Amino acid sequence: TTEIYTLSLHDALPIFFTCPTAETLPMSRPNLISCAALLLLVACGGEETTPTEERAPRITENASATRVEVAVVQLSSAGLRARWPGEVVGSQDALLAAAMGGFVERVQVEEGEQVTEGQVLVRVDTASAGARVGQARVEVEAATRELERAERLGGAISGQQVDTARSRVAAARAGLRTATVASSRSVIRAPFAGTVAQVSVERGEVAAPGAPLVRLVRLAPVHVSMSVPDRDVGVLRPGMSVKVRADATSRPVDGRILRISPAADLRTRAFEVRIVLPNEDRALLPGMIADVEVQGEAVEEAVVIPQYTLVTALTENGVFVVEGDVARWRPVIVERVLRDQVVIASGVSVGDRLIVTGHRELADGDQILTVREGTCCTEGRVLFGEDAVATAEPEENEPSEEAAP
């Protein structure tokens, strides 16, 4: 004897199962487990399943659009503000030597000593040089007396003999001048007022011709030498104000650009720029490392965009702006370039939605999908606020609650 139960499942198809009763069949453990499993299967299958076509993922309408970031153009200011490392050097730095070399008779200065222009630093073989000057004078006097006798004789001697006497006088005088110059160069004098940085010789030594004996530097004013790459050197001008920082000074020192090299170094491809500083306290010394900050001329209330947003075509420069849901090519005229900022003369207006990311892969008329929007620009940078972050897809393409699994 069995009892029959009918339950509705999914689309109301009847499912029949039987369980033995206590009167007809003993309730053994295996039979009890079988009945419990059947009841659990019926209880869990009561919800309707979603058809396969309803569970399929929805296809985004903008799947073929290029994802871009956009910035709304606003009026802003632009200026050059850059920092480069530099090295402190003397405004004048000279290695002094004896042109003819010789015996070092006296060294009259020490390292660190401040000297005036024209002061004697070292004497090299001045005795020999003085003797050569004396010898040259004797020759001049002898040649002069011989010429005077020839002229007194008049027609007694030939004109050729008179000419020979005159030539001898001229040669003797030239020899005297040569000896005098050599004698003056045997005494090493300071060519400018400065500080003795190095003395490389001692009294009694024999100096080689042209060997450096004394290094003299001028520390007030002092210079800072720095190397500037070609992309930045174009905005620098002699006379521009700079601020120089060094570990030896407690505060920045104001200076100015003295000169800019007209040609790049062939090894580094950088341009040398010289900065001049007062340095009255002698705090900055040659060889120190300095940090130079340059602030260029500011452009106020202009359309300024980052340089990386500018696209260079074959015949023109331009940018991409948003019109509706497509990208449009907009030719522009560049007024000036300030390092990584570009001042636009025409082509971009306030309120235009400038494409700042993804623009390298675009062509005029391409479909776009804006994933983030900000403002342009502050110091050449695009700013994105929390409220400007957009979703990856428009709201009408978001899945509805009914379609969500």
Side-chain angles (χ1 to χ4, degrees):
T1 304
T2 60
E3 294 179 358
I4 300 175
Y5 300 89
T6 303
L7 296 176
S8 175
L9 181 63
H10 302 302
D11 52 356
L13 294 176
I15 298 178
F16 301 95
F17 65 94
T18 61
C19 286
T21 62
E23 292 81 1
T24 60
L25 186 64
M27 205 57 144
S28 63
R29 182 181 180 89
N31 292 335
L32 182 60
I33 292 175
S34 300
C35 289
L38 290 173
L39 291 173
L40 182 60
L41 177 62
V42 172
C44 293
E47 295 182 359
E48 294 184 0
T49 58
T50 304
T52 303
E53 56 274 11
E54 293 184 6
R55 288 183 175 269
R58 301 186 64 183
I59 299 176
T60 304
E61 296 179 1
N62 292 330
S64 62
T66 302
R67 298 162 66 91
V68 299
E69 293 182 353
V70 177
V72 179
V73 177
Q74 299 177 349
L75 291 178
S76 61
S77 60
L80 173 66
R81 185 172 183 177
R83 300 175 71 173
W84 295 282
E87 180 184 1
V88 179
V89 296
S91 56
Q92 290 180 281
D93 193 329
L95 291 174
L96 307 178
M100 304 303 295
F103 181 78
V104 178
E105 297 174 345
R106 292 185 62 185
V107 179
Q108 299 184 213
V109 292
E110 296 180 353
E111 292 185 3
E113 184 178 342
Q114 294 188 16
V115 298
T116 59
E117 182 178 354
Q119 181 177 334
V120 176
L121 308 180
V122 181
R123 295 181 180 272
V124 180
D125 214 358
T126 56
S128 298
R132 287 191 289 270
V133 171
Q135 182 180 0
R137 287 200 179 101
V138 171
E139 293 180 357
V140 170
E141 292 174 358
T144 302
R145 287 195 299 269
E146 184 177 347
L147 176 61
E148 291 175 352
R149 279 196 302 270
E151 291 177 343
R152 283 198 302 269
L153 292 175
I157 60 174
S158 64
Q160 182 179 0
Q161 291 177 320
V162 176
D163 293 339
T164 301
R166 290 173 179 171
S167 299
R168 185 182 174 188
V169 171
R173 290 175 178 173
L176 177 59
R177 288 194 296 270
T178 302
T180 303
V181 170
S183 177
S184 66
R185 291 179 178 177
S186 67
V187 179
I188 301 176
R189 300 177 181 272
F192 52 84
T195 302
V196 177
Q198 184 179 3
V199 178
S200 305
V201 70
E202 294 289 344
R203 179 182 177 182
E205 293 183 0
V206 176
L213 304 181
V214 178
R215 181 187 178 191
L216 184 66
V217 295
R218 186 178 180 185
L219 302 179
V222 75
H223 289 178
V224 174
S225 175
M226 62 181 185
S227 297
V228 179
D230 52 1
R231 74 164 187 164
D232 299 328
V233 72
V235 297
L236 300 180
R237 298 289 184 273
M240 290 180 64
S241 298
V242 302
K243 289 186 178 297
V244 178
R245 294 175 173 83
D247 293 339
T249 58
S250 59
R251 63 183 63 184
V253 181
D254 294 328
R256 61 180 178 85
I257 296 178
L258 179 64
R259 61 177 179 268
I260 303 172
S261 175
D265 186 281
L266 296 180
R267 294 170 299 175
T268 63
R269 302 298 175 182
F271 294 81
E272 183 189 16
V273 178
R274 281 292 183 107
I275 310 297
V276 59
L277 306 170
N279 198 36
E280 296 297 338
D281 57 356
R282 307 296 201 277
L284 295 174
L285 301 176
M288 289 183 175
I289 301 301
D291 182 74
V292 182
E293 180 180 345
V294 180
Q295 293 185 357
E297 299 177 357
V299 177
E300 302 291 343
E301 297 298 312
V303 175
V304 183
I305 64 174
Q307 188 176 18
Y308 66 82
T309 62
L310 194 66
V311 179
T312 302
L314 292 177
T315 59
E316 59 186 357
N317 295 321
V319 296
F320 283 98
V321 296
V322 177
E323 292 184 6
D325 58 352
V326 299
R328 292 297 182 190
W329 170 256
R330 188 78 63 79
V332 298
I333 297 177
V334 177
E335 179 178 333
R336 61 186 305 186
V337 178
L338 296 174
R339 207 179 189 196
D340 55 355
Q341 305 173 67
V342 179
V343 182
I344 301 299
S346 64
V348 178
S349 303
V350 176
D352 286 343
R353 300 176 67 203
L354 177 68
I355 298 177
V356 297
T357 302
H359 54 292
R360 300 293 178 183
E361 295 79 24
L362 291 176
D364 185 50
D366 282 355
Q367 294 285 328
I368 59 172
L369 178 64
T370 302
V371 297
R372 191 163 64 153
E373 186 166 331
T375 58
C376 178
C377 293
T378 300
E379 296 181 354
R381 297 183 296 109
V382 178
L383 299 182
F384 295 98
E386 295 181 355
D387 297 335
V389 178
T391 57
E393 297 180 357
E395 294 184 356
E396 59 269 24
N397 290 331
E398 292 290 342
S400 62
E401 295 182 359
E402 292 79 2

